[in-house]
Amino acid sequence: MSIFASFGQSHPTAFITIVHAHLPIYGITQIVSEQLGDIQLAIKIYRDQIAAGCMRPEMTLADYGFHGNSDPDEPENVTLYYDYDVPIIDCPILLADHYF
């Protein structure tokens, strides 16, 4: 996560989207999953670059103190971070060392 923070919005996995404050964190993981493509990943959402604890999927942004703005033309800017585990590939063909 923090490895790519210096790239800012120029990094290909960084994106901007507008959501409601009552959206559960699980909904945000679905948005991230759509942005990354149809890969089955265990995505975790964080408030800070330092992954001290991920946000719980059943909680909403409002539960975490992000209440948004009453004017839809001026949404509250919030930066969230995500991380995911790389899936373990147990396929002998994909694991083959073809450089011999």
Side-chain angles (χ1 to χ4, degrees):
M1 290 181 336
S2 59
I3 296 169
F4 303 113
S6 62
F7 289 100
Q9 289 295 62
S10 66
H11 195 274
T13 59
F15 63 93
I16 296 173
T17 189
I18 297 175
V19 298
H20 294 281
H22 64 271
L23 180 70
I25 301 304
Y26 176 78
I28 295 174
T29 61
Q30 295 303 304
I31 293 170
V32 171
S33 180
E34 290 171 7
Q35 292 289 324
L36 294 176
D38 293 328
I39 307 170
Q40 296 296 324
L41 300 172
I43 298 170
K44 299 174 201 87
I45 306 295
Y46 299 91
R47 295 177 71 160
D48 301 311
Q49 291 180 17
I50 301 169
C54 64
M55 300 171 83
R56 294 176 43 194
E58 69 275 5
M59 304 284 283
T60 65
L61 288 172
D63 293 335
Y64 282 102
F66 304 118
H67 297 290
N69 194 343
S70 59
D71 184 3
D73 293 330
E74 296 181 23
E76 177 184 4
N77 290 327
V78 174
T79 300
L80 297 176
Y81 302 89
Y82 67 89
D83 194 12
Y84 56 87
D85 296 325
V86 176
I88 297 172
I89 299 172
D90 194 20
C91 174
I93 296 171
L94 295 176
L95 294 174
D97 188 358
H98 59 277
Y99 296 106
F100 284 108

